[in-house]
Amino acid sequence: MTPTKAPTDSYFHLHLVSDATGETLITVGRAACAQYANVLAIEHVYPLVRTMKQLDRVLSEIESNPGIVLYTLVDNEIRGRLKERCRDLGVPYLSVMAPIVRLFQSYLGGEPTPRIGGQHSLDAVYFKRIDALNFTVMHDDGQMTEDLENADVVLLGVSRTSKTPTSIYLANRGIKTANIPLVPNVPLPSNIETLRKPLVVGLVASPERIVEIRQNRLLGLNAADTGTSYTDRQAVSEEIAFSRRLCARNGWPLIDVTRRSIEETAATILALFNERRRQQLAET
């Protein structure tokens, strides 16, 4: 459909209509919105829309707040009703999956078998991800270090280098991840330098960034900065220097997360992990 004239305000309404969880739409919608730094998207997310009654409530909301409509709907009748009403209202709409499914169909041939929320099936991949999440939670922040050899990835880093959120992100990809904090005057687990199976990765950031995050954390906890080494720039610099020396001595890859998002850091780790796995398979 030919889109209507763009609004002149600095925001617009983005309607995400799905018969499943809506995660695909949210990801795609936000990725597109990120290309427009000066415009704010007001998200309206409608998951599990599987009946006409549910759709009517969605359509009422779209009518009250016109904007872009993205959808993933399997049911032909519900999908047709949404498209018809969007045309009547003059709002732009798009099936996010349709162009991709058409490409698959042209290459693979035959008709697809539509399944609501098919990517969330309770299959082996799903249970592998749950297993990875359980492992990662139990091995967060230096816990249960006696069985680190069972991890896929072990993250090392000083406080505030995003070890835990990066670990959880990797676990969602099915990667069993443990993370170990590097704390001054606290010895590392005795087995850390003899690990064979896991990929060990160090995370660092600039001293300025670490100090800023730590100060903000103290403020959030209503804790006074008593001048301890936790937020002292020189002390933080020494912590980071130690982590760099440790990784260099053991040949562990080191990632500077100063200007990286969690997703970018995790993507780099996944690339290292997959390359290491390919090398291991080639050697067998």
Side-chain angles (χ1 to χ4, degrees), residues 257-270:
V257 302
T258 304
R259 299 183 181 278
R260 290 176 184 259
S261 66
I262 300 300
E263 293 83 357
E264 290 171 326
T265 300
T268 301
I269 295 170
L270 284 169

Side-chain angles (χ1 to χ4, degrees), residues 94-271:
L94 176 70
S95 169
V96 168
M97 290 296 295
I100 301 172
V101 172
R102 283 197 296 269
L103 177 63
F104 272 58
Q105 187 176 354
S106 67
Y107 184 75
L108 300 174
E111 290 293 326
T113 305
R115 290 191 300 153
I116 294 176
Q119 71 271 38
H120 303 299
S121 299
L122 302 183
D123 55 12
V125 174
Y126 175 84
F127 288 108
K128 178 184 177 183
R129 190 166 75 249
I130 296 303
D131 188 36
L133 281 165
N134 286 333
F135 181 94
T136 300
V137 169
M138 289 190 295
H139 293 78
D140 181 44
D141 201 29
Q143 300 181 80
M144 297 183 66
T145 57
E146 63 277 3
D147 67 340
L148 288 177
E149 193 65 47
N150 293 322
D152 296 315
V153 171
V154 175
L155 301 182
L156 296 173
V158 303
S159 173
R160 304 298 102 187
T161 47
S162 302
K163 296 184 298 299
T164 294
T166 303
S167 297
I168 296 299
Y169 188 96
L170 290 170
N172 269 296
R173 296 296 187 90
I175 305 296
K176 293 181 179 179
T177 309
N179 73 80
I180 309 295
L182 299 180
V183 182
N185 303 316
V186 175
L188 287 167
S190 59
N191 60 345
I192 190 68
E193 297 190 51
T194 60
L195 294 175
R196 292 292 177 263
K197 174 180 173 287
L199 169 69
V200 182
V201 180
L203 302 181
V204 295
S206 68
E208 295 78 11
R209 181 59 174 160
I210 294 293
V211 170
E212 178 187 5
I213 296 174
R214 290 182 179 183
Q215 288 174 337
N216 289 335
R217 181 169 185 260
L218 290 176
L219 288 173
L221 296 173
N222 292 320
D225 186 350
T226 58
T228 63
S229 60
Y230 185 69
T231 55
D232 178 77
R233 190 188 184 285
Q234 181 59 38
V236 171
S237 296
E238 292 173 2
E239 289 181 50
I240 295 170
F242 168 76
S243 65
R244 289 183 180 277
R245 290 194 302 270
L246 177 67
C247 290
R249 184 173 71 241
N250 290 279
W252 296 329
L254 190 67
I255 301 174
D256 190 328
V257 302
T258 304
R259 299 183 181 278
R260 290 176 184 259
S261 66
I262 300 300
E263 293 83 357
E264 290 171 326
T265 300
T268 301
I269 295 170
L270 284 169

